[in-house]
Each structure stands twice: as C-alpha cells, then as structure tokens.
Amino acid sequence: VPISKMGQTKTTVKVKKAGKGIELSDEAVLSGYGDVVGEGTRQLKMSIANKIDNDMFTAIAGATLTASTAMTVAGLLGAKAKFGEDVDQPAVLVASPNNYVKIAGDILSLENSDKVLINGVVGKVAGLQVKVSGKVDDTTAYIVAPGALGLALKRDVQVESDRDIIAKLTVITADEHYAAYLKDESKVIKITIA
C-alpha cells in the first residue's frame, strides 16, 4: 500500500473591525413614530452586514479564473468550462440588473428538487442559479461555487448603548470583527462581458 503525505495550505487574512454609531436625543425618541431606538439598532446591524457583504464582493473580485464572453447561454456555458472536470458542480451566476435582462428570456424557474445556494436566486440558466446584484457593474459577472468564499467571524455583531445624562442623548454603537476572503480560487470565475 503506497503511503502518501498529507499537506495543507494556509491563507493569511486580515481581521477587520466594522463599526458604526448613532446618537438619539430624547426629543427624537419621544416625537418619532414607532420604536425609534429599535429601528436605529436594526439599521446599525444592517449597516455592518452591508459592509461585510461589500468585502465579500471585493474578495471575489480577486478571482484568478477569468473568461471574456457575451452574456448569453452559450457564453455562460463557455465560461463554466473554466471549472474543468468540475463543470457540473452547483454554482451561482452573480450578475448586474442590466446583464440579467440580457438572459431573462432564457431563465428557468427552479424546480422543487433544486437546493437554493443563496437567498434571492431568481431562477436558473446554463445550469447556474442566477442572483441579481447592484454591487456588480455591467462589465463584470461572477460564477461562484460553494466553498469559494470564506468568512471568519472573530466576534459576532455587538450592539452597545450608553447614556449622556448632560446632553440627554442615547448613544448606540455596533461593531463586528471578521475576515472576508477568497477561500478557494478554483471555485470562482470572473467574467468580463464582451
């Protein structure tokens, strides 16, 4: 029996801290409609999540597998060929709204047996689940397979509040420590739209 040595690779990533805060005066809380403090807290959490999402898009922009093609079914099939033998692996096409329009007539609805890989998938084309994103410009699209991206959460979002009794303000802050990175370069294809 031949004996093989196992190996591993490592990726060094920078842990980031994303944070944001708001101040609410007593007057704003009392005169506002609904739960002003709760809404402020929700928006802070959404802001942190949006920052992490932006960093994930920055990570996939570093893809080393590339293709240049028109936004057509044939073009997407050609781009998928960059996966080599893994061409049939499940993957998501992330495209701008304008590029989505170019292939909308070819998009099929997902069958009940299809496992949706990410939220917001609008259908399937060329064997790819389609996700429309305003964070991708009209000259670029991405084919992303599971395992392409990594997100290391060092500490989940933490929301804290404090009271300034002299100014009569409630200060609310939120922060999160994380690292977003390209985990496996062989699982993402950057398409330049010809």
Side-chain angles (χ1 to χ4, degrees), residues 149-170:
L149 295 170
L151 178 62
L153 296 177
K154 299 306 284 180
R155 185 179 76 196
D156 203 0
V157 67
Q158 184 174 22
V159 178
E160 297 178 282
S161 64
D162 197 11
R163 183 85 177 135
D164 181 342
I165 62 170
I166 296 172
K168 299 298 182 185
L169 294 171
T170 301

Side-chain angles (χ1 to χ4, degrees), residues 3-24:
I3 304 296
S4 298
K5 287 191 174 192
M6 289 180 61
Q8 70 179 23
T9 60
K10 84 175 179 181
T11 302
T12 303
V13 295
K14 189 175 194 176
V15 175
K16 292 184 175 184
K17 177 181 178 180
K20 193 164 184 116
I22 58 171
E23 287 183 339
L24 299 170

Side-chain angles (χ1 to χ4, degrees), residues 98-125:
N98 288 331
N99 283 324
Y100 162 72
V101 169
K102 293 177 185 176
I103 57 171
D106 297 310
I107 291 180
L108 306 170
S109 66
L110 291 174
E111 298 173 12
N112 292 337
S113 63
D114 286 330
K115 178 183 174 190
V116 174
L117 298 175
I118 60 173
N119 289 337
V121 168
V122 295
K124 196 170 188 176
V125 66

Side-chain angles (χ1 to χ4, degrees), residues 31-78:
S31 65
Y33 180 75
D35 180 9
V36 176
V37 174
E39 179 61 19
T41 301
R42 186 191 72 77
Q43 287 187 25
L44 286 173
K45 288 179 180 179
M46 292 298 295
S47 177
I48 301 293
N50 190 49
K51 170 64 173 135
I52 293 171
D53 194 48
N54 289 342
D55 286 350
M56 295 297 266
F57 273 97
T58 299
I60 65 170
T64 56
L65 292 177
T66 61
S68 180
T69 186
M71 184 58 78
T72 62
V73 173
L76 292 172
L77 288 170

